[in-house]
Amino acid sequence: MSQERKRWYAIFSFILLGGIQALRKYTVGNDLHFQYYGNFIKYHHLPWKYIFGVKTRYEPGFLTFYKLVGIITDNPQIMIAVHSLFVIGVFVVFMYKNCDDLPLSIFLFVTMNHWFQSMVILRQILAVCFLLIATEILYSKLPMLVRYLSFIVLLLLAMSMHYSAVVGVVFLIMRNIKFNKTIFVVSTVMGGLLFFSDGIFDWVMEQIGIILESSSIYAKQYAYFSSQLLKESKYTMSGIYSFVPYLMTFVFAGVLLMGWRIVVTIKPGNWEKRYFRKVSFCGNYSNDFLMYSILIVVMAKILAFSLPVFSRFTQYFMPFEYVLLGRVLKKIYNPFIRRIIIIFIYGITAVAFIMMNSNLKLNARMTGTVPYLFFWQ
């Protein structure tokens, strides 16, 4: 766990995950297979003057990415490699700088299917990366004007990759508000009622539907995604697994980091000393910022049980799960309990990962990133 070993672990992770992703065949990742690969061939030589005028569902920033890679080569495999190495590089650097337990963070990045998602949603994952860079600058020690102007520029760049990145505006708000016990209790109760009460859940979804259908901007998007409603997905392994880890992290982080007088230990001793002990964490992010990030993920995941489009917005907040989970574990006083919990997390997430991806036909149809049918053919 020394800094040097952590650095080498980050380098190894980048080479392994980035290398596999960069060398994968274009058939790995359904969107890559059916959209991005062929459209790179179609658009990479597009003149600059048409970048903002061509009629396509792709945002101008992503077309610019195509164009920049196209200046170097017309080989689509190089486009895949450039995209993969940039994405994995941003995530690994982010986790290296901010996560107190880097091996566990990398492990969860894979087993929570975040790595596989990055092979499918090429436009949005670029937007996520630019917003991660923006939040790093926002929490840096640069002059305030430089930080905020840089954040706005990178936010606009992220939106040029995928319009959903507009949700990044809330980072500016979260940066400056506190997360207290009252917010924790109220949000926990509201989330519980929303998740366990079908009546409340259906009413909330009906109100969201009314609002979206009345919007000239989002009506078409709502009609598209509402056709994908899968009410039975609420209690499937995939739906629960994509929700419960964030819920558990939020609850335990709220208990251990937000000032509750609770010490996790099995040994007698000076409880006051243990409660008030100082624990230094990696990175500059405040616990308030991280708590709000995971709260948004939890609420959006609940809504996504009925309206899958909300899962799209969670992508921008999910990376902060790895940061917050490491802080929760570090806050646990007793080493024995901490190790047991870490082993439990490794075991449960590994089993869940295998179960989620055991249906090869379903996985191939939904994402096209089947982990057991290897990438090169």
Side-chain angles (χ1 to χ4, degrees):
M1 297 302 291
S2 69
Q3 196 64 25
E4 183 179 359
R5 290 185 178 182
K6 185 178 181 181
R7 186 182 306 112
W8 279 110
Y9 193 93
I11 293 172
F12 172 77
S13 300
F14 170 74
I15 294 173
L16 180 62
L17 299 180
I20 293 177
Q21 185 164 329
L23 295 174
R24 75 189 190 277
K25 192 176 180 181
Y26 72 92
T27 54
V28 178
N30 284 342
D31 285 357
L32 174 63
H33 185 188
F34 298 110
Q35 293 187 51
Y36 298 119
Y37 184 87
N39 283 329
F40 173 79
I41 299 173
K42 180 178 179 181
Y43 291 122
H44 78 275
H45 54 74
L46 195 70
W48 285 108
K49 63 180 180 180
Y50 295 126
I51 290 292
F52 290 89
V54 64
K55 291 184 178 181
T56 174
R57 61 192 295 258
Y58 292 173
E59 293 81 356
F62 189 74
L63 291 176
T64 301
F65 166 72
Y66 273 174
K67 180 66 177 178
L68 292 175
V69 176
I71 292 175
I72 302 172
T73 178
D74 60 357
N75 186 343
Q77 189 63 46
I78 301 300
M79 182 274 293
I80 296 173
V82 170
H83 182 279
S84 301
L85 295 176
F86 174 76
V87 168
I88 299 303
V90 170
F91 272 94
V92 169
V93 170
F94 171 81
M95 289 185 279
Y96 170 76
K97 291 178 62 178
N98 298 290
C99 294
D100 289 281
D101 191 332
L102 180 63
L104 181 60
S105 300
I106 297 292
F107 185 80
L108 293 176
F109 178 66
V110 175
T111 58
M112 294 180 74
N113 277 348
H114 211 169
W115 182 43
F116 287 130
Q117 291 172 8
S118 70
M119 301 183 199
V120 180
I121 53 174
L122 269 65
R123 288 154 50 225
Q124 187 177 6
I125 207 67
L126 284 178
V128 171
C129 288
F130 283 117
L131 267 185
L132 280 181
I133 297 172
T135 55
E136 287 288 294
I137 295 176
L138 187 64
Y139 263 89
S140 69
K141 296 181 180 180
L142 293 171
M144 183 175 68
L145 183 61
V146 174
R147 287 189 284 115
Y148 279 87
L149 286 178
S150 300
F151 181 89
I152 295 299
V153 170
L154 286 167
L155 174 62
L156 294 174
L157 181 58
M159 290 173 60
S160 76
M161 296 293 172
H162 200 275
Y163 291 135
S164 64
V166 67
V167 301
V169 172
V170 304
F171 286 142
L172 292 172
I173 303 172
M174 292 161 49
R175 172 73 172 81
N176 298 294
I177 56 176
K178 293 293 184 179
F179 190 97
N180 55 39
K181 294 180 181 179
T182 302
I183 296 175
F184 175 72
V185 172
V186 171
S187 58
T188 301
V189 172
M190 289 178 58
L193 290 174
L194 189 61
F195 181 70
F196 291 108
S197 173
D198 289 335
I200 296 176
F201 182 80
D202 292 340
W203 181 82
V204 170
M205 295 311 301
E206 182 181 354
Q207 302 310 307
I208 292 175
I210 292 173
I211 294 172
L212 294 179
E213 285 179 324
S214 63
S215 169
S216 59
I217 298 176
Y218 296 109
K220 291 183 179 179
Q221 289 291 326
Y222 174 73
Y224 171 72
F225 282 104
S226 63
S227 65
Q228 303 178 14
L229 294 183
L230 300 172
K231 292 184 178 180
E232 67 274 10
S233 70
K234 187 170 183 178
Y235 299 107
T236 63
M237 184 64 201
S238 179
I240 295 296
Y241 179 61
S242 66
F243 165 69
V244 170
Y246 298 97
L247 175 64
M248 298 300 293
T249 301
F250 176 76
V251 171
F252 283 111
V255 170
L256 292 175
L257 301 180
M258 290 294 108
W260 299 88
R261 296 179 61 84
I262 294 176
V263 179
V264 180
T265 181
I266 59 173
K267 295 181 179 179
N270 189 333
W271 285 68
E272 290 291 328
K273 182 178 179 181
R274 293 177 183 180
Y275 174 73
F276 288 109
R277 78 188 192 282
K278 293 183 179 180
V279 179
S280 58
F281 300 119
C282 290
N284 297 319
Y285 294 101
S286 67
N287 291 337
D288 305 300
F289 179 90
L290 298 175
M291 288 297 293
Y292 276 115
S293 296
I294 305 306
L295 172 60
I296 291 173
V297 173
V298 170
M299 292 302 185
K301 288 286 186 182
I302 294 174
L303 297 177
F305 282 128
S306 182
L307 194 59
V309 66
F310 279 94
S311 290
R312 285 283 184 166
F313 297 109
T314 63
Q315 293 290 335
Y316 301 99
F317 305 92
M318 286 166 58
F320 299 105
E321 153 79 4
Y322 312 129
V323 182
L324 188 59
L325 180 60
R327 294 191 182 188
V328 173
L329 293 172
K330 197 171 183 178
K331 189 70 174 178
I332 298 174
Y333 177 81
N334 189 280
F336 175 76
I337 294 179
R338 185 167 57 248
R339 289 167 186 161
I340 291 297
I341 292 176
I342 291 174
I343 293 172
F344 178 79
I345 293 173
Y346 274 111
I348 291 298
T349 53
V351 171
F353 173 76
I354 294 172
M355 292 176 65
M356 283 185 66
N357 295 286
S358 60
N359 190 332
L360 300 186
K361 291 183 178 180
L362 176 62
N363 189 287
R365 188 169 74 251
M366 296 297 292
T367 65
T369 53
V370 178
Y372 313 110
L373 301 179
F374 212 68
F375 286 0
W376 300 286
Q377 299 177 9

